[in-house]
Amino acid sequence: MSSARVDYIAPWWTYWLHNFPHINLRFQPTDNSFQPEEENYQQSLIFLGCVAAAGLGLNLLCLAVYLSCLCCCRKDEEEESKKPNSCCVTWSAVAAGLITCVAVGVGFYGNSETNDGVYQLTYSLYNANHTLGGVDSLVTGTMGSMKSGLHQHLARLDEIFATRGDYVQTLQFMQQMADNVIKQLLGLPDWAQAKVDLAVVADQIANVEYYRWLSYLLLLIVDLIICLLACLGLAKQSRWLLTTMMVFGVLTLVLSWTSLGADLATAVGTSDFCVSPDKYLLSQTKGIIGADIVHYYLYCNQTLTNPFQQPLTIFQRSLTTMQIQIQGLLQFAVPLFPSAERDLVGIQHVLNSSEASLHQLTALLDCRGLNKDYLDAMVGVCYDGVEGVLYLCLFSTLAACAFTVMLCAIPRAWRQIACRERDYDDIDEEDPFNPRVRRIAAQNPNLTNMHSFCSYSSSMGSQTSLHPPAPAVSNAPMSEYMNHTALFGGNPRYENVPLIGRGSPPPSVYSQQYRNRYSPSMRATYLSMTEEQRRQFGNDFQA
C-alpha cells in the first residue's frame, strides 16, 4: 500500500490473523495473500476448519474416556464418600452455568458487531452502485440527446438554410462539436457491468448475513435454555431431564466446534483481504477499468490527477461553443428565416440539459464520493466485522468448555441420584425415618399409625397382649418408667425401659428384628448417643 495513504489503516488483529499459518490439505505452506479463486488458498482455509474438527474429536474422546472411567471405577457408597462428590457436582454445575452466561453475553455482542459491520458493507455497496448507476444514466441520456434530438434539429435547419452557405457551415461546425461530445462520453469507462456486479454482490451478502445472524441467535438461545434446564434437573434431581440435557449438550458441543471452525476460517480469510485490499481490487478490475481510474478512487488525494478532467473539459468547451453559435443564429438568421426559430430553440434546450448533466456528471465522477463508500465498507468489514467474528470464536470456545464441564457433571449427579434412591429402597416401609413414610404421614395423618422407635412389629402380638413384668426387673426409677410409658403411647411396655433408661441395646426378644429394620450406620449412631441425647431424640421424634 502507498505510504502517503492515511485514511485507512488495517487494525492490529487483522495482521495477527493474517500471520496465521496457511497450510493446504497436503500439509504444504501456501501464500497468505487473499486469492479466493486459488485452490491452494481455499484449502488453507478449509484446513483451519479441519483443525476445529480435530479439536471436536479430541474433546469427544476425552469425554468418552472420562465416562468409561466413571462407569468402571466405582467408589464406596458410604456417607463419608458422598459428601465430597456432591460438592464437586455442585461446583461443576455452578462453573458451567457461569461460563455459559459469559459465553452467551459474548456471543450476543459478537453477533451484533458482525451484523453491524456487514450492514455497513452492504450500505456502502448500494451507495456506490447508486453513484455508478447515476453516472451511467447521465452518460447514456446525454449521448442519446446528442445523437437523436440534436441531429434531427440540425437536419431540418440544414434544409432551411440551404440558400445560405455561411449558415450551413455553422450547422456543420455544430455537428462536429456534437460528435466530439459523443466521442468524449464514449471514452468514459462503461459502468454498466460494475453496476450489476455490485448490486448482485450486495444482495447475496445481505441474504447470507440474515441467515447467519438468525442461526447464531437461535444457537445462543438454545445454549442458554439447555444450561438452565440442566441446572433445573440437578436441583430437582430429575434423571430423565438430566439424560435429555446430556444428549442435547453433546449436540450443542458439536455445533460449538463447528461454528468455531467456520468463524476462524472466515476471520483469517477476511483479514487477508483487509491487510491489502487495494491489490486485490486492482487485480479484479484489470481489463474492465483502467488502473489509473481505480487508483484515483482508492486513494483520492490532492497529488493525483483526475483521469476524467480532460474529457469533461472538452465536453464543457464544446457545449459553450455550440451555445455561442446558436445565439448568433437566433440573432441573425431568425429575422431572415422565421421557420428556423423552433429548431434553434430546441437545440438550445438540448444544450442546456446537456450542460446540467455535465455538472452532475462532474460531481458523481469526483473521487470523494466513491472513496468514502470504499472506506466505510473497509471499516465495516475489517473493524466491526472481523472484531465481531473474533468474539464469536470466543463464544464458541467458552460454550465448548461450559458444555464439557456440564457433560462431566451430569453422569456423577445421575449416579448419586440412583444411589440415593437405592438407599431409600433398602429402608423398611414401616421405618419412621424413611422419607417416603414421613411424607405420607404428613399428607395423611389418619392413614398411618406411627410405631414407637423401640417397639417391635405386630407379628409378635398386639400392644395390649403384652403384660408388664415385675417391677423388680427394672433398674430405672418409677417416675422415669411412667414418663417413658406416656411418651410412647400410653400402655406400659417392658422393652421401653431398658432401651431408654438403661442405655443398653434392645432386648434379645426383638434384637434380630431390630437389626433387620435399621441399617448399621443408624444403629451405630443411636448407640453412640449419650443418655441425654437419647432422651431428647425420643421427645423430638414423638413431637
Side-chain angles (χ1 to χ4, degrees), residues 81-203:
S81 63
K82 293 178 184 178
K83 291 182 179 179
N85 292 337
S86 178
C87 182
C88 179
V89 171
T90 301
W91 283 109
S92 298
V94 171
L98 291 177
I99 296 175
T100 302
C101 292
V102 174
V104 170
V106 172
F108 271 109
Y109 179 77
N111 196 30
S112 177
E113 283 292 302
T114 305
N115 184 258
D116 291 342
V118 175
Y119 174 78
Q120 190 170 353
L121 169 64
T122 55
Y123 183 78
S124 300
L125 288 176
Y126 284 127
N127 281 344
N129 176 64
H130 179 73
T131 300
L132 298 179
V135 172
D136 182 72
S137 177
L138 289 174
V139 170
T140 303
T142 303
M143 290 178 61
S145 63
M146 287 290 177
K147 287 181 180 181
S148 60
L150 185 63
H151 180 74
Q152 292 176 2
H153 290 300
L154 291 176
R156 285 195 294 266
L157 289 175
D158 187 65
E159 295 177 358
I160 295 174
F161 297 150
T163 57
R164 295 291 302 265
D166 53 346
Y167 292 163
V168 172
Q169 291 180 357
T170 301
L171 295 178
Q172 293 176 355
F173 180 74
M174 292 178 63
Q175 184 64 50
Q176 293 177 359
M177 292 293 100
D179 294 338
N180 194 17
V181 169
I182 295 174
K183 180 181 179 180
Q184 299 303 321
L185 292 177
L186 289 175
L188 296 177
D190 186 10
W191 302 101
Q193 185 65 31
K195 169 189 174 183
V196 173
D197 288 343
L198 286 179
V200 170
V201 169
D203 291 337

Side-chain angles (χ1 to χ4, degrees), residues 13 61 125 146 191 213-214 229 405 479:
W13 52 81
L61 179 62
L125 288 176
M146 287 290 177
W191 302 101
W213 174 83
L214 184 60
L229 291 180
V405 174
S479 60

Side-chain angles (χ1 to χ4, degrees), residues 512-523:
Q512 183 63 32
Q513 187 176 357
Y514 174 84
R515 285 192 295 270
N516 294 334
R517 176 173 296 182
Y518 302 103
S519 62
S521 59
M522 295 174 64
R523 294 200 302 269

Side-chain angles (χ1 to χ4, degrees), residues 183-327:
K183 180 181 179 180
Q184 299 303 321
L185 292 177
L186 289 175
L188 296 177
D190 186 10
W191 302 101
Q193 185 65 31
K195 169 189 174 183
V196 173
D197 288 343
L198 286 179
V200 170
V201 169
D203 291 337
Q204 292 177 350
I205 292 176
N207 292 332
V208 172
E209 170 58 20
Y210 172 75
Y211 290 108
R212 185 211 63 81
W213 174 83
L214 184 60
S215 300
Y216 265 99
L217 184 63
L218 294 177
L219 180 60
L220 292 168
I221 296 174
V222 168
D223 286 357
L224 190 59
I225 291 176
I226 291 176
C227 180
L228 293 177
L229 291 180
C231 293
L232 181 62
L234 291 174
K236 296 292 185 180
Q237 298 183 355
S238 175
R239 296 170 65 181
W240 71 268
L241 185 57
L242 291 178
T243 304
T244 305
M245 289 304 104
M246 190 170 182
V247 174
F248 281 102
V250 173
L251 296 178
T252 309
L253 185 64
V254 174
L255 290 178
S256 299
W257 281 101
T258 303
S259 63
L260 177 61
D263 292 337
L264 185 60
T266 302
V268 172
T270 308
S271 298
D272 293 337
F273 169 75
C274 292
V275 168
S276 181
D278 304 337
K279 180 180 178 181
Y280 176 74
L281 293 177
L282 286 171
S283 65
Q284 291 297 308
T285 56
K286 186 177 180 180
I288 301 176
I289 303 174
D292 55 339
I293 297 176
V294 178
H295 195 272
Y296 170 70
Y297 285 113
L298 292 180
Y299 295 98
C300 190
N301 52 41
Q302 299 297 328
T303 60
L304 296 176
T305 303
N306 189 348
F308 306 109
Q309 185 64 42
Q310 183 177 359
L312 293 177
T313 301
I314 295 175
F315 188 4
Q316 177 66 47
R317 290 176 180 176
S318 299
L319 290 179
T320 302
T321 301
M322 293 171 68
Q323 287 177 348
I324 292 174
Q325 297 297 326
I326 290 298
Q327 290 292 337

Side-chain angles (χ1 to χ4, degrees), residues 347-399:
I347 293 175
Q348 193 175 32
H349 288 163
V350 171
L351 295 178
N352 291 336
S353 62
S354 299
E355 186 176 9
S357 299
L358 173 64
H359 294 308
Q360 296 179 16
L361 189 61
T362 302
L364 292 177
L365 290 176
D366 188 77
C367 67
R368 288 173 292 182
L370 288 177
N371 182 257
K372 181 180 181 302
D373 295 333
Y374 168 70
L375 294 179
D376 290 343
M378 294 306 302
V379 169
V381 172
C382 301
Y383 281 83
D384 294 339
V386 177
E387 182 184 5
V389 173
L390 287 178
Y391 278 108
L392 290 179
C393 291
L394 180 60
F395 152 72
S396 300
T397 304
L398 292 176

Side-chain angles (χ1 to χ4, degrees), residues 12 30 55 84 87 93 96 106 137 207 252 328 360 382 441 447 460 463 509 511 532:
W12 63 267
T30 60
C87 182
V106 172
S137 177
N207 292 332
T252 309
Q360 296 179 16
C382 301
L447 298 180
M460 301 296 297
Q463 294 182 0
V509 177
S511 59
E532 184 65 22

Side-chain angles (χ1 to χ4, degrees), residues 469-481 484 494 497-504:
V473 177
S474 176
N475 296 328
M478 182 59 66
S479 60
E480 184 177 356
Y481 176 79
H484 293 159
Y494 174 80
V497 177
L499 180 61
I500 299 178
R502 195 171 55 190
S504 61

